């Protein structure tokens, strides 16, 4: 098994320490325990395999790296029933405070998600509509019922709704978006991807949504540069023919003169277009 899992495939036995040996202070050990994902003062017993892990992400990383694909699985967070206090090693039912030594096992605690975290600077909150805990502050997010996800208040009435848009995999890295711990970015077309995936695409001049091919950012300045380049680059006579194009941005068709540098949509002015016909007969120049 991977890091964080019990070394034995048999259920772990926990030796409880006498609570009298620990200070009766709920903040005892704060930020001293946890894993790379969360700082917390408890571990969880995974009901699916009856092993102990620091958190569900540690479980999933281990369980999904098993050699037999049939054994790979994710932990259902709401199914967790037992936790182990990291201070006194007492195994107990899920609760914020240890029943043995009284320590707070997580300054942020959600009984619905069975979630503990000592780092409250993340401003965690539980969204009843999503059914899971989010980070960033309840006052900075709203739940879009059409998309089925929480978005920044900056996007209220300013985004294209796509039903269950985040209940899909990121189109770049294929990680499931809905409960990912990475920051998600909503594109103007309504599709969603990780910000960590979006930024490298832009830095590598990849401006189209991987799903629908619409422009992911404002390209108006780039289209102006293309206008200038095309006006200064005259095509040979044998290339004076029309082609049919379809605009990825407005989804409308046009017939335009062929040019090696690009084809401009007659409706919205975008060069994010695709040629959908074979060349027609050359257009003869008049004297």
């Amino acid at each position: 098994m991977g890091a964080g899992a019990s070394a034995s495939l048999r259920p772990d036995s926990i030796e409880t320490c006498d609570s009298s040996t620990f200070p009766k202070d709920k903040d005892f050990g704060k930020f001293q325990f946890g894993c790379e994902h969360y700082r917390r003062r408890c571990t969880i017993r995974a009901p699916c395999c009856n092993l102990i892990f620091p958190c569900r992400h540690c479980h999933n990383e281990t369980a999904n790296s098993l050699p037999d694909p049939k054994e790979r699985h994710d932990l259902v967070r709401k199914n967790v029933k037992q936790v182990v206090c990291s201070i006194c090693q007492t195994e107990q039912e899920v609760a914020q405070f240890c029943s043995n030594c009284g320590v707070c096992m997580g300054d942020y605690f959600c009984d619905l998600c069975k979630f503990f975290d000592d780092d409250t600077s993340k401003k965690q909150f539980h969204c009843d509509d999503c059914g899971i805990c989010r980070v960033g502050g309840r006052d900075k997010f709203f739940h879009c019922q059409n998309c089925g996800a929480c978005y920044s208040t900056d996007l209220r009435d300013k985004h294209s709704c796509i039903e269950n848009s985040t209940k899909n995999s990121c189109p770049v890295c294929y990680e499931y978006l809905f409960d990912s711990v990475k920051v998600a970015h909503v594109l103007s077309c309504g599709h969603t991807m990780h910000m960590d995936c979006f930024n490298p695409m832009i830095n590598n001049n990849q401006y189209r949504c991987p799903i629908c091919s619409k422009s992911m950012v404002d390209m108006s300045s780039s289209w102006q540069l293309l206008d200038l380049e095309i006006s200064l680059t005259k095509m040979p006579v044998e290339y004076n023919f029309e082609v049919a194009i379809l605009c990825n941005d407005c989804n409308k068709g046009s017939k335009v003169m062929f040019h090696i540098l690009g084809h401009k949509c007659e409706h919205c002015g975008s060069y994010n277009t695709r040629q959908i016909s074979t060349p027609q007969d050359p257009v003869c120049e008049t004297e």
Side-chain angles (χ1 to χ4, degrees):
M1 302 293 282
S6 167
S8 172
L9 293 179
R10 297 187 300 272
D12 301 287
S13 59
I14 303 297
E15 184 176 344
T16 302
C17 299
D18 185 355
S19 63
S20 63
T21 61
F22 297 97
K24 296 292 184 179
D25 179 4
K26 69 180 183 65
D27 290 328
F28 180 73
K30 187 175 181 179
F31 293 119
Q32 296 178 25
F33 299 88
C35 60
E36 62 178 304
H37 305 105
Y38 304 113
R39 308 310 297 170
R40 64 208 316 189
R41 284 162 282 175
C42 68
T43 55
I44 61 174
R45 185 177 288 282
C48 44
C49 47
N50 205 27
L51 296 174
I52 292 172
F53 295 85
C55 74
R56 70 180 181 90
H57 298 293
C58 291
H59 168 277
N60 293 346
E61 289 171 2
T62 300
N64 287 305
S65 63
L66 293 172
D68 186 351
K70 295 180 180 179
E71 293 183 2
R72 297 171 189 171
H73 62 281
D74 287 338
L75 184 149
V76 179
R77 69 187 82 190
K78 295 182 179 180
N79 290 347
V80 174
K81 304 295 182 184
Q82 298 289 119
V83 297
V84 180
C85 175
S86 299
I87 307 300
C88 69
Q89 301 302 308
T90 301
E91 183 164 356
Q92 57 203 277
E93 293 184 359
V94 173
Q96 185 172 17
F97 295 91
C98 176
S99 60
N100 184 46
C101 68
V103 75
C104 178
M105 293 186 284
D107 268 5
Y108 176 82
F109 169 69
C110 177
D111 187 46
L112 296 174
C113 294
K114 320 303 182 191
F115 177 48
F116 303 78
D117 197 350
D118 274 335
D119 184 6
T120 56
S121 65
K122 302 173 186 176
K123 298 182 179 179
Q124 303 94 327
F125 66 96
H126 182 86
C127 173
D128 290 328
D129 291 313
C130 284
I132 61 175
C133 290
R134 299 291 191 187
V135 297
R138 189 183 300 275
D139 59 329
K140 294 183 179 179
F141 290 86
F142 75 99
H143 184 88
C144 176
Q145 297 294 344
N146 293 327
C147 295
C150 284
Y151 291 149
S152 167
T153 52
D154 294 338
L155 292 176
R156 192 188 295 273
D157 301 324
K158 297 178 182 177
H159 70 281
S160 299
C161 285
I162 295 180
E163 187 176 359
N164 295 325
S165 60
T166 62
K167 293 182 179 178
N168 292 289
S169 299
C170 172
V172 177
C173 70
Y174 298 106
E175 180 183 343
Y176 191 57
L177 287 165
F178 184 70
D179 56 2
S180 173
V181 295
K182 299 177 183 177
V183 177
H185 178 64
V186 183
L187 309 178
S188 57
C189 58
H191 292 119
T192 307
M193 69 170 65
H194 289 127
M195 183 63 79
D196 288 347
C197 297
F198 171 78
N199 287 332
M201 285 191 66
I202 298 301
N203 293 337
N204 286 281
N205 301 318
Q206 300 295 321
Y207 302 119
R208 293 177 180 173
C209 170
I211 299 174
C212 67
S213 294
K214 293 185 183 297
S215 298
M216 298 192 297
V217 295
D218 181 7
M219 298 293 293
S220 55
S221 58
S222 297
W223 302 157
Q224 290 173 7
L225 287 175
L226 267 174
D227 281 340
L228 179 60
E229 287 187 41
I230 288 174
S231 67
L232 297 175
T233 309
K234 187 176 181 180
M235 296 296 294
V237 174
E238 59 266 30
Y239 289 98
N240 286 346
F241 50 75
E242 281 188 332
V243 291
I245 62 171
L246 179 67
C247 179
N248 293 322
D249 287 337
C250 72
N251 296 321
K252 294 181 179 179
S254 308
K255 280 191 175 181
V256 298
M257 295 302 297
F258 173 81
H259 201 285
I260 194 67
L261 294 180
H263 301 122
K264 184 174 183 176
C265 173
E266 292 182 341
H267 303 281
C268 69
S270 171
Y271 280 96
N272 180 16
T273 60
R274 65 184 75 181
Q275 185 176 323
I276 58 173
S277 73
T278 55
Q280 305 299 310
D281 294 334
V283 177
C284 298
E285 291 185 336
T286 57
E287 294 296 334

